[in-house]
Amino acid sequence: MTIAPPPPGYAPHSPETLPAYLASVPGLGARLGPDPDAWTVQEVGDGNLNLVFIVRGPAGALAVKQALPYVRLAGEGLPLVMRAAERQGPAFAH
């Protein structure tokens, strides 16, 4: 099986980068509040595969899960197939 590279522009998020990304997603400002500077982001995941964040704003909160294209504890030297992330995305969007 050939493991494809991550899609162009893919990068793991951090508490510092996540607000700008979420602010670009239509509808999330209404859920969190319109000012990303007022949001707090806490990384809560400590698993092997995903990044998990809790984002809180004046209007509400949400959880964000980002699948990585590699085993987190092993680093980029142990890549994963992106099919799982592609299938999980639509399921978590509801």
Side-chain angles (χ1 to χ4, degrees):
M1 172 188 307
T2 302
I3 297 178
Y10 176 90
H13 284 291
S14 69
E16 294 76 30
T17 64
L18 193 57
Y21 171 75
L22 294 177
S24 74
V25 178
L28 287 185
R31 287 187 102 157
L32 296 168
D35 181 10
D37 290 333
W39 304 348
T40 60
V41 181
Q42 177 184 11
E43 185 175 357
V44 296
D46 62 352
N48 293 326
L49 301 178
N50 303 301
L51 298 173
V52 181
F53 303 92
I54 301 296
V55 185
R56 293 180 177 89
L62 56 89
V64 176
K65 175 187 172 192
Q66 182 182 21
L68 296 172
Y70 52 85
V71 175
R72 184 176 181 186
L73 294 177
E76 295 181 25
L78 189 53
L80 293 171
V81 177
M82 292 298 289
R83 280 186 302 205
E86 292 167 357
R87 290 183 178 149
Q88 289 177 8
F92 284 120
H94 298 287

